[in-house]
Amino acid sequence: MKKTLFILAGVVCLLATACKSQLDKRIDATLQQMTLEEKARLIVGTGNEGRWVSETSYGDMKNIVPGAAGTTCPIERLDIPFIILSDGPAGINIDSTRDGVEGTFYCTHFPIGTVLSSTWNTQLVEAVGRCIGDEAMHYGVDVVLGPGMNIHRHPLNGRNFEYYSEDPLLTGKMAAAMINGIQQNGVAACPKHFAANNQETNRMGNDVQVSQRALREIYLKGFEIAVREGHPKALMTSYNKINGISVSERHDLVTEFLRDECGFDGTVMTDWYGGDHPEEQMRAGNDLIMPGQQWQMDSIVNAVNAGRLDVAYVDECVRRILRLIYTSPRNQEGHTYDNNPDLVAHANVTRESSTEGMVLLKNDANALPLSQNVKQVALFGCASYDFIAGGSGSGDVRRAYTVSMLEGLQNAGYEMDPLLAARYNDFVKKSIADNLSKVTARFADMVRIRPDEMPLTEADIAEQVRRADCAIITIGRTCGEYYDRTSSDFQLSSVERSMIENVCRAFHAAGKKVTVVLNIGGVIETASWKHLPDAILCAWQPGQEGGNSVADILSGKQTPSGKLPMTFPIALSDIGANANFPVDQTSENVSVASRRVDRGERNVDFTRYDEGIYVGYRWFDSRQVEVSYPFGYGLSYTTFDYNNIKVKQSGKKIKVQLDVTNTGTMEGMEVVQLYVTAPGASMDKPAKELKAFCKTPKLAAGKKTKVEMTINTDDLRSYDETAQQWVLEPGTYKLHIANSSRDIRATETINLK
Ligand code: GLC
């Protein structure tokens, strides 16, 4: 049997090599026939107001999949087909209706990236990726412009909702899972934005000034893991500069690091209108310029003709673009698509995945799950009725519906006061309309306008105390591409604060409990008010089924198992990066349009990453700064014991095994985390770093499961900038087996030579 398998494997390899050479032959044959102009035309894509308008011959490209972000350019003379590229990380973002076409083209709005990383469940994230890839296939999309995977360097970055974590390992593992899911059926994933795109303020012109060590250990590490374990077919470079040069023009990052070191063998594209010098982008190995314009084609042709640019660079880029085009779904023999994905099945996947990504932050005296005799619920907060499914901009999804908290709780059998609901709905409509009328900035409405909070009178609250068995308050935050959040957005507003204070006072006086639900896309301030309610559930922006997912947790249908993928600090000033982030510096003229006119403004034209590798818990733990909720934290409705811990080392492999037992009364899932403290003798090192994690399957009360985590000593190295290489410091390493970065259950030690 083994022999047969061995022979079979050999045949497959030979065939694969033969097939690959078939593809290479086809690419070479096409390339040889292409004129320089045709090569430049292929390198520069179409999309947005770039090529669609300027070149009528491509104007109809936008009607192939209306709302898609762009396409490559067909070259009819050589029968080179095109492909369709569409956002985004939370689902396919295309128009839901088409002029003159019957029917709708809704896509599923899956949970945002931060919800997925809060599950710490790579299998779940891969399953969500599979659904996104499936919807791409049904709608004729060949490349999904996701996952978004930049590091949460600062909570106010407007696009953190699209990204995973402050930690590079969690980021990389989540991204690899998403990529593997999307690419299951041949659709290409396109992780973005490579790299260090950690603010929206002047994103197209900002120069990130960062040390090599921080770059390697924090900002590139996630992409390294995603490439090695996800094998993406495409990847998007970021708008920003790194140490003075646009990333899409950096050969050392795009070719030497990404391709030569990490083994990336796909197609690199710019972000939309990213970079300034096409010939530099060619030299760097940034293959596709999206969605380019005529001047970029001219610049490539002129540079080659003038002898400034070796055509070999252009040919390499064309080869990699042709490979992506020839292997894309729509260009396979007999490929068709029906614009009819199974949205019902995908809605269930988004409901289950966002439920698993919710993080229970507080649950005094088992306020949750709601007790059996709760029937009437007093539901406060605009976001309870105008629930926020996700962030805005390219990471949004034109979904068919959003299940609000009101609907989710009704579906679960709870009753809410219809009069209060009507008042909130009217208030929300009016407040949004008022806010939109004040909008002046061109892109301001791209960040979904959030309604002000509706003030409540004592009488309003007293009426609800009389009617209801408990109270639920939802605090909502919108966020999105183009804008960083403001410091006031981080804080509760005075109306929100008095709502929580007054509702808690009145309901507690009547011996009734209060839960606060956070419907947010990024971290907010919690320390000053978290003592007030009995329970706090961070629901994030959980996609279109949000209200049902929250009800699944509140009712006890599902036990919460989410863990924070980033720290909730007490104050912005506690954050290492805070002095070097554009806090409240965002204004219309810098937030979206590329200034590209460097006025030397700190945190706008250049941002100094002075905190180095000390991002997130690496900062807070190394400096023993108190936080409101630590990285990796999340409560359950049950409890878990860790025992029988064994550590085995053989060669570079360190294996940690333990038993996890559900010692509570309800079923639940646990996320076991493994942090490592290095000797830190020859190099400064963070107090601890996450080096492995494992999410258990559902465990019934009293049941136990074996957990095994493996790390490679290579993962324990640090980047020595002087030697320009990774070094492993000899000495004693502490292995912390933990329930969060600040709840260490056991510590083992190993000695490394
Ligand atoms: C946007 C975003 C990028 C998106 C692209 C296409 O500017 O930065 O994430 O994929 O353009 O919409």
Side-chain angles (χ1 to χ4, degrees):
M1 181 56 178
K2 264 196 178 167
K3 196 160 174 290
T4 321
L5 281 177
F6 186 74
I7 292 166
L8 195 61
V11 166
V12 166
C13 283
L14 278 175
L15 275 178
T17 319
C19 291
K20 199 171 169 211
S21 68
Q22 283 305 322
L23 180 60
D24 284 341
K25 277 183 190 156
R26 184 182 177 194
I27 290 168
D28 289 344
T30 305
L31 185 63
Q32 271 150 24
Q33 299 172 67
M34 291 174 84
T35 65
L36 177 57
E37 285 69 18
E38 286 169 333
K39 292 175 184 175
R41 189 177 294 278
L42 187 69
I43 283 165
V44 177
T46 82
N48 294 10
E49 64 273 9
R51 297 281 298 287
W52 277 330
V53 173
S54 56
E55 289 198 34
T56 46
S57 55
Y58 297 103
D60 59 355
M61 296 298 288
K62 66 174 172 247
N63 301 324
I64 296 165
V65 180
T71 81
T72 57
C73 237
I75 311 274
E76 287 86 356
R77 184 180 76 85
L78 297 171
D79 193 22
I80 298 174
F82 60 86
I83 56 175
I84 302 287
L85 302 92
S86 168
D87 292 302
I92 301 301
N93 187 9
I94 58 173
D95 291 348
S96 50
T97 56
R98 295 176 184 177
D99 295 345
V101 177
E102 275 300 300
T104 56
F105 301 82
Y106 290 119
C107 296
T108 306
H109 196 155
F110 293 94
I112 58 172
T114 307
V115 171
L116 295 176
S117 52
S118 299
T119 69
W120 294 59
N121 185 340
T122 50
Q123 287 168 350
L124 174 146
V125 173
E126 185 167 334
V128 172
R130 262 201 302 280
C131 293
I132 294 176
D134 179 69
E135 283 191 23
M137 190 65 109
H138 280 277
Y139 280 126
V141 166
D142 301 284
V143 181
V144 175
L145 302 172
M149 53 179 291
N150 292 99
I151 290 291
H152 288 200
R153 171 176 179 257
H154 192 286
L156 296 184
N157 173 28
R159 292 185 82 171
N160 276 352
F161 75 96
E162 284 187 79
Y163 307 150
Y164 293 124
S165 173
E166 67 191 28
D167 178 83
L169 175 75
L170 184 58
T171 295
K173 294 290 185 184
M174 290 295 129
M178 176 57 74
I179 293 162
N180 283 321
I182 291 172
Q183 298 193 152
Q184 291 268 322
N185 58 6
V187 169
C190 181
K192 65 187 184 181
H193 310 87
F194 179 80
N197 185 185
N198 308 105
Q199 69 185 59
E200 284 300 282
T201 301
N202 190 26
R203 62 182 187 163
M204 297 177 90
N206 178 48
D207 179 20
V208 170
Q209 299 176 353
V210 58
S211 72
Q212 281 307 308
R213 183 178 182 196
L215 202 49
R216 287 278 184 153
E217 293 189 20
I218 304 296
Y219 298 101
L220 298 180
K221 180 54 75 178
F223 285 97
E224 183 180 343
I225 296 167
V227 165
R228 292 185 196 282
E229 299 181 17
H231 310 293
K233 294 179 179 172
L235 175 136
M236 186 189 291
T237 47
S238 59
Y239 285 126
N240 55 281
K241 297 182 183 78
I242 289 183
N243 297 330
I245 303 170
S246 288
V247 176
S248 63
E249 299 169 11
R250 292 198 70 122
H251 185 269
D252 60 340
L253 292 181
V254 178
T255 294
E256 290 163 43
F257 173 77
L258 200 55
R259 293 198 165 104
D260 301 347
E261 217 176 296
C262 299
F264 177 72
D265 61 0
T267 302
V268 174
M269 67 183 79
T270 62
D271 196 342
W272 268 225
Y273 309 106
D276 298 308
H277 312 101
E279 57 188 275
E280 290 309 323
Q281 290 170 320
M282 296 296 99
R283 278 196 198 90
N286 188 113
D287 310 306
L288 189 54
I289 299 175
M290 287 301 295
Q293 295 166 25
Q294 187 61 44
W295 69 268
Q296 289 164 306
M297 289 187 274
D298 299 343
S299 141
I300 291 168
V301 170
N302 298 341
V304 171
N305 288 339
R308 288 197 314 272
L309 175 64
D310 182 338
V311 74
Y313 286 112
V314 174
D315 289 352
E316 266 317 290
C317 293
V318 168
R319 262 196 195 32
R320 292 187 286 249
I321 296 168
L322 287 175
R323 178 178 304 282
L324 181 65
I325 292 172
Y326 287 148
T327 58
S328 285
R330 72 172 41 247
N331 297 320
Q332 301 319 301
E333 204 55 47
H335 175 76
T336 58
Y337 56 93
D338 61 4
N339 290 321
N340 184 25
D342 187 345
L343 296 179
V344 172
H346 293 171
N348 288 332
V349 170
T350 190
R351 174 170 179 168
E352 282 154 28
S353 50
S354 57
T355 301
E356 194 169 327
M358 295 189 177
V359 185
L360 183 59
L361 299 175
K362 180 180 183 183
N363 190 21
D364 282 1
N366 295 324
L368 295 178
L370 297 174
S371 58
Q372 293 305 323
N373 56 28
V374 166
K375 281 306 287 168
Q376 296 286 341
V377 171
L379 189 58
F380 298 107
C382 288
S384 294
Y385 303 87
D386 177 43
F387 201 70
I388 302 156
S392 52
S394 61
D396 202 351
V397 176
R398 281 156 275 191
R399 59 191 170 275
Y401 61 84
T402 303
V403 177
S404 68
M405 289 276 294
L406 177 69
E407 291 154 338
L409 290 166
Q410 285 169 338
N411 295 341
Y414 297 102
E415 287 167 23
M416 275 60 68
D417 177 359
L419 295 181
L420 183 62
R423 278 181 56 199
Y424 266 109
N425 282 319
D426 292 347
F427 182 88
V428 165
K429 273 197 203 77
K430 189 179 172 315
S431 155
I432 289 180
D434 291 351
N435 288 344
L436 272 176
S437 64
K438 289 177 224 149
V439 158
T440 52
R442 182 167 156 241
F443 280 83
D445 53 349
M446 294 292 277
V447 181
R448 191 180 171 287
I449 301 291
R450 180 166 54 91
D452 309 323
E453 193 45 68
M454 184 173 87
L456 295 166
T457 64
E458 293 295 331
D460 292 333
I461 296 172
E463 167 61 11
Q464 294 306 318
V465 172
R466 194 184 58 71
R467 297 174 47 98
D469 306 313
C470 74
I472 294 172
I473 304 170
T474 306
I475 299 291
R477 286 291 180 276
T478 56
C479 55
E481 182 175 356
Y482 306 120
Y483 280 87
D484 290 318
R485 292 168 54 209
T486 57
S487 56
S488 57
D489 193 73
F490 178 76
Q491 310 291 345
L492 289 189
S493 67
S494 56
V495 178
E496 288 171 327
R497 184 175 300 279
S498 54
M499 169 169 68
I500 294 176
E501 284 166 354
N502 298 338
V503 168
C504 288
R505 187 182 314 110
F507 274 78
H508 288 161
K512 297 177 179 179
K513 297 186 186 278
V514 180
T515 295
V516 170
V517 174
L518 302 181
N519 177 206
I520 55 177
V523 173
I524 65 167
E525 192 276 328
T526 49
S528 69
W529 56 269
K530 65 184 185 182
H531 62 284
L532 293 168
D534 303 282
I536 303 173
L537 175 69
C538 183
W540 298 120
Q541 294 167 349
Q544 64 187 49
E545 287 285 331
N548 282 331
S549 297
V550 177
D552 287 347
I553 297 278
L554 298 181
S555 65
K557 186 177 168 201
Q558 295 289 346
T559 299
S561 63
K563 300 276 183 181
L564 292 180
M566 83 298 279
T567 307
F568 274 55
I570 290 171
L572 290 177
S573 52
D574 295 338
I575 299 164
N578 201 54
N580 292 295
F581 187 85
V583 179
D584 301 333
Q585 279 181 269
T586 299
S587 62
E588 168 51 21
N589 74 325
V590 295
S591 55
V592 183
S594 152
R595 262 204 340 205
R596 288 199 168 99
V597 175
D598 186 348
R599 298 183 198 136
E601 191 180 341
R602 199 164 137 268
N603 300 334
V604 175
D605 296 302
F606 67 94
T607 302
R608 298 171 51 86
Y609 285 28
D610 287 351
E611 76 284 354
I613 61 171
Y614 295 95
V615 174
Y617 70 91
R618 286 174 168 81
W619 171 271
F620 298 113
D621 292 2
S622 304
R623 284 161 178 72
Q624 279 134 21
V625 174
E626 255 321 287
V627 298
S628 189
Y629 295 109
F631 174 82
Y633 171 85
L635 299 176
S636 172
Y637 290 155
T638 186
T639 52
F640 296 97
D641 260 5
Y642 298 15
N643 38 47
N644 212 359
I645 294 168
K646 293 192 187 72
V647 177
K648 282 184 214 139
Q649 182 187 354
S650 59
K652 286 191 167 189
K653 285 252 182 293
I654 301 164
K655 195 178 285 185
V656 177
Q657 290 171 320
L658 65 144
D659 291 341
V660 174
T661 308
N662 178 344
T663 48
T665 56
M666 288 182 75
E667 137 186 305
M669 292 182 272
E670 175 63 317
V671 179
V672 182
Q673 299 152 49
L674 177 61
Y675 296 89
V676 175
T677 300
S682 58
M683 278 176 103
D684 69 300
K685 297 280 284 183
K688 63 173 88 78
E689 294 179 284
L690 180 73
K691 291 300 176 186
F693 59 90
C694 174
K695 179 130 199 194
T696 70
K698 277 187 181 168
L699 283 178
K703 294 293 180 207
K704 76 175 177 181
T705 184
K706 267 210 180 309
V707 163
E708 184 172 299
M709 296 174 286
T710 305
I711 48 180
N712 186 308
T713 52
D714 285 351
D715 304 332
L716 305 179
R717 297 174 300 172
S718 301
Y719 192 76
D720 179 330
E721 292 185 343
T722 329
Q724 292 199 354
Q725 60 183 359
W726 291 90
V727 291
L728 180 65
E729 188 188 22
T732 303
Y733 286 76
K734 292 180 187 158
L735 307 181
H736 307 294
I737 293 95
N739 171 273
S740 90
S741 60
R742 294 202 172 180
D743 178 359
I744 292 172
R745 299 295 177 80
T747 296
E748 305 286 333
T749 58
I750 54 163
N751 282 304
L752 296 182
K753 300 278 175 292

